[in-house]
Amino acid sequence: MADSFGKQGTTRRTLHYYWWATRRHLGLYIGMVLSTISFGVLLSYGNPLVMSLIVDRISAEPVAADQVFEVFGPYILALLLINVFGQAFSRLQDYTLWKLEIAVSYDLATLCFDCLCNQSVSFHSNRFGGTLVSQTSKFMAAYNQLVEGINFPFLPVLESVVFICIVLGPRVPAYVVVLMVLLVLYGTVSYLMYRRILNLNEKAAGAQNQLSGELSDSVANILAVKTYGREDYERGLFDAANREVVARDSKRMMASLARGVVTSVIAVTIMAIVTVFIAGGNAWFGITPGTLVLMFTYTYTVTNQFNFINNGLQRLNRAFGDAAGMTTVLDEPRLVADAPGAPDLVVGEGAIDFEGIGFRYTDGDAETVVFDGFDLHIPAGQRVGLVGMSGAGKTTLTKLLLRLSDIQEGRILVDGQDVAKCAQQSLRRQIAYVPQEALLFHRTVAENIAYGKPDATPEEIREAARQANALEFIEKLPQGFDTVTGERGVKLSGGQRQRIAIARAMLANCPILVLDEATSALDSESERLVQEALGRLMAGRTSIVVAHRLSTVASLDRIVVLSDGRIAEDGPHAQLIERGGEYAMLWSRQTGAYLE
């Protein structure tokens, strides 16, 4: 039962987001509804009504050949006007529906993009990127399915019921009562079976999202797949996910077919009753021929429309199932959120203070404490190296500074300003971050370098590349600065990617610099070029350098040795070597390994 309420809650939340987007274009939505109703009333019910009047007039007495236009002229004119206006409303319906879907798709795409971009790194670490893309696409497409499903089967059915009651109610009340009872039964059965199938649709959509995630994961890591000869293994994972999709879709199909059989039986019963009424209507009740024609036409039309309700409910099922994944994502609280009206961070000098930091994270049921009462002061302009064994908290500390995760206790101050109380974007625009794996887009070299300063001139981009020791190799590329780097920069070597990332940081010209293992994966020549570039980049900036390779930090102003989330040692390289502590031991191991 709880699960059922959960599914209904997801559906309500989906409708909440869809109505939010629709309300922004309410004029188009109202125009679509009114044009749909007008189009259906005129063409589906106006035409048969006029034809029934013509049949009754013909049945009443013969009409002479020279009196045809005199007698039937008003009917002909009425039919002409009904069809002209009916077709006009049909085209208006097409226009408003199309415009509405285009406008709302833009709003929903923006909503999803903003949600995903503003979620924490932890959120993205626990999800397939391909699944999120798939969920976003399905969420947008589901809106179109929902609007079209409501606009075509359900509005025409509603207007059919109303029009039948208005036109046939005074003429054949007993027939209308029987017909309404059967239609209510039809609608009730369809709705109850629809609720049963809704859960199956959400599970089918979930299986499809998992399949997209598996495909994305394999394609993104195709080099690992091929170099380890694991194509068969990955195909097995994909096949398992694919079979789950088939199984879920098959269950959904069988449930939908069962609903179709039940509703078809009711539809046949309705047509059987109308046939009896039409056959004996004139003899038993004195019903006129025109009314009999009207009864059959209207009943046949409404029965067909109720048949379309099955398709409409199936589309609604699929729409809500497809939208469920992104609705859940949109409803997730932001793990790192700005306070309302948070001011921008203003950095003058770049002093950094970690005061009484407490940070822990939960993975499954296990909680890991990383920092407990951690303190560190970094004066403005100082170059600080963070070293220590893996898991000591080095990278975590830099991510807390960037507010990629939020601390549970204490404060992080930049020039005396609490970063938790400042706007995140303003904080990160003051910090140039260069990670171990350069973060490049599938765009040109120039666009990647200018990412931190989009309005940079070509001369500024070129100068940043020169200072990053990247100009020489960029000019040798097929299109120079206009060369597209490939997804995640796959067309470039590791050293080339890193130098482009450094050029980006130089161009951004931030007062604070964070380098996270920026040279650990490079060959000796690439490391030399990158180290030279980093030396220029760090000049005059408050710099935090995370490194396992101690030669990277030996020349810095200060080295902080972390161990189990606390400061084990703190001082310049020479002083730490003299102490003979943990840093000296690490240095001895690395230099000894090189000598050996």
Side-chain angles (χ1 to χ4, degrees):
M1 182 65 71
D3 185 65
S4 176
F5 281 124
K7 301 301 182 185
Q8 293 177 33
T10 303
T11 300
R12 284 195 295 270
R13 293 298 298 164
T14 299
L15 289 172
H16 162 77
Y17 290 115
Y18 285 168
W19 176 241
W20 167 84
T22 303
R23 195 172 53 200
R24 296 164 63 89
H25 311 282
L26 198 57
L28 288 173
Y29 179 75
I30 293 173
M32 178 199 69
V33 171
L34 293 179
S35 60
T36 299
I37 292 174
S38 302
F39 155 63
V41 166
L42 289 171
L43 297 186
S44 298
Y45 298 98
N47 278 330
L49 179 59
V50 175
M51 289 304 300
S52 72
L53 297 176
I54 293 175
V55 170
D56 281 342
R57 179 64 184 81
I58 293 173
S59 302
E61 58 179 311
V63 177
D66 59 348
Q67 294 182 317
V68 168
F69 287 103
E70 180 182 345
V71 172
F72 295 109
Y75 300 119
I76 295 172
L77 179 61
L79 282 173
L80 179 62
L81 291 175
I82 284 172
N83 282 276
V84 168
F85 281 103
Q87 292 298 333
F89 280 120
S90 175
R91 301 289 74 77
L92 180 61
Q93 176 202 53
D94 293 340
Y95 171 78
T96 52
L97 176 62
W98 206 336
K99 286 284 289 184
L100 178 69
E101 290 180 348
I102 291 172
V104 170
S105 290
Y106 174 85
D107 290 337
L108 292 178
T110 302
L111 175 69
C112 294
F113 182 84
D114 288 344
C115 171
L116 295 177
C117 278
N118 288 295
Q119 271 293 5
S120 67
V121 172
S122 299
F123 168 90
H124 288 283
S125 297
N126 293 320
R127 287 166 175 81
F128 283 127
T131 297
L132 292 174
V133 172
S134 172
Q135 288 173 335
T136 300
S137 299
K138 288 183 177 181
F139 184 75
M140 295 165 57
Y143 176 83
N144 295 348
Q145 292 184 46
L146 182 65
V147 170
E148 292 172 13
I150 292 174
N151 194 48
F152 296 120
F154 294 104
L155 280 179
V157 163
L158 180 62
E159 70 187 30
S160 297
V161 171
V162 171
F163 213 78
I164 285 174
C165 291
I166 292 174
V167 176
L168 293 182
R171 303 185 186 190
V172 278
Y175 173 74
V176 171
V177 169
V178 173
L179 180 61
M180 290 301 114
V181 169
L182 289 172
L183 290 179
V184 168
L185 175 63
Y186 190 114
T188 302
V189 171
S190 291
Y191 175 71
L192 292 176
M193 299 188 80
Y194 155 78
R195 289 184 60 185
R196 290 181 59 191
I197 296 172
L198 181 60
N199 185 44
L200 296 177
N201 276 278
E202 291 191 11
K203 290 181 177 178
Q208 184 63 53
N209 288 334
Q210 182 64 26
L211 180 67
S212 298
E214 292 288 354
L215 177 60
S216 174
D217 202 32
S218 296
V219 171
N221 295 284
I222 192 65
L223 185 59
V225 174
K226 288 190 169 297
T227 53
Y228 281 89
R230 298 286 277 173
E231 290 91 343
D232 290 343
Y233 174 76
E234 292 298 325
R235 188 183 187 284
L237 292 178
F238 182 81
D239 188 63
N242 207 5
R243 288 181 184 277
E244 182 67 13
V245 170
V246 172
R248 296 294 184 184
D249 280 343
S250 297
K251 288 183 179 180
R252 176 169 58 180
M253 176 192 69
M254 294 306 296
S256 297
L257 289 176
R259 182 183 62 193
V261 170
V262 173
T263 52
S264 293
V265 170
I266 299 175
V268 170
T269 304
I270 292 173
M271 289 310 299
I273 291 173
V274 72
T275 302
V276 171
F277 261 93
I278 290 172
N282 183 263
W284 297 335
F285 307 109
I287 301 174
T288 65
T291 300
L292 292 175
V293 170
L294 207 59
M295 287 169 59
F296 177 82
T297 304
Y298 281 6
T299 305
Y300 181 75
T301 300
V302 77
T303 303
N304 274 342
Q305 287 173 342
F306 265 81
N307 276 332
F308 292 144
I309 280 185
N310 273 333
N311 294 330
L313 288 174
Q314 186 172 344
R315 292 173 71 179
L316 293 187
N317 269 325
R318 185 181 292 274
F320 285 123
D322 287 350
M326 181 49 64
T327 297
T328 302
V329 170
L330 291 171
D331 276 347
E332 284 207 22
R334 293 184 183 177
L335 300 179
V336 180
D338 286 338
D344 285 347
L345 179 75
V346 179
V347 180
E349 298 180 343
I352 303 171
D353 288 280
F354 297 88
E355 296 182 351
I357 300 302
F359 176 71
R360 65 191 65 87
Y361 65 88
T362 303
D363 188 1
D365 296 328
E367 184 179 76
T368 301
V369 177
V370 183
F371 295 110
D372 185 10
F374 180 86
D375 293 292
L376 176 64
H377 171 66
I378 302 175
Q382 189 174 69
R383 301 173 303 158
V384 178
L386 296 181
V387 302
M389 303 295 289
S390 296
K394 305 182 297 296
T395 295
T396 301
L397 197 65
T398 63
K399 289 183 177 179
L400 294 178
L401 172 62
L402 286 158
R403 273 199 80 196
L404 300 179
S405 296
D406 265 342
I407 56 177
Q408 285 86 32
E409 292 98 28
R411 298 188 305 169
I412 300 176
L413 306 176
V414 175
D415 282 349
Q417 302 162 85
D418 189 342
V419 299
K421 297 179 180 178
C422 298
Q424 295 176 62
Q425 286 194 14
S426 68
L427 165 68
R428 292 165 191 156
R429 286 172 181 166
Q430 301 296 328
I431 302 174
Y433 176 64
V434 182
Q436 177 179 0
E437 180 65 31
L439 306 175
L440 301 187
F441 293 90
H442 184 59
R443 301 170 190 173
T444 66
V445 170
E447 287 175 302
N448 273 287
I449 293 175
Y451 193 72
K453 187 181 179 183
D455 58 347
T457 64
E459 291 74 21
E460 290 175 321
I461 295 172
R462 184 180 181 84
E463 177 59 20
R466 187 189 66 77
Q467 292 188 30
N469 286 340
L471 184 59
E472 183 180 355
F473 85 79
I474 291 174
E475 290 181 333
K476 292 180 180 178
L477 294 174
Q479 283 82 43
F481 281 91
D482 293 325
T483 302
V484 176
T485 63
E487 188 176 6
R488 299 186 309 282
V490 294
K491 295 181 180 180
L492 305 177
S493 70
Q496 291 172 336
R497 290 196 297 269
Q498 206 68 324
R499 280 176 275 167
I500 287 178
I502 293 170
R504 176 194 294 168
M506 285 181 166
L507 191 57
N509 196 28
C510 300
I512 299 173
L513 175 65
V514 173
L515 306 175
D516 189 357
E517 299 285 359
T519 63
S520 63
L522 304 180
D523 60 80
S524 299
E525 179 60 20
S526 295
E527 182 184 9
R528 182 186 65 80
L529 293 171
V530 169
Q531 287 283 22
E532 289 177 2
L534 289 176
R536 288 190 285 269
L537 178 59
M538 284 188 282
R541 293 182 173 89
T542 305
S543 303
I544 299 176
V545 182
V546 177
H548 278 107
R549 191 179 295 177
L550 301 185
S551 58
T552 305
V553 299
S555 62
L556 300 182
D557 303 323
R558 175 185 174 195
I559 298 169
V560 176
V561 183
L562 296 182
S563 177
D564 296 325
R566 59 181 180 81
I567 297 177
E569 291 183 290
D570 186 353
H573 169 76
Q575 187 180 102
L576 295 181
I577 293 295
E578 287 180 6
R579 286 181 189 173
E582 185 171 339
Y583 178 80
M585 181 184 65
L586 292 172
W587 179 263
S588 176
R589 286 179 180 175
Q590 288 196 9
T591 55
Y594 290 138
L595 291 173
E596 185 178 337

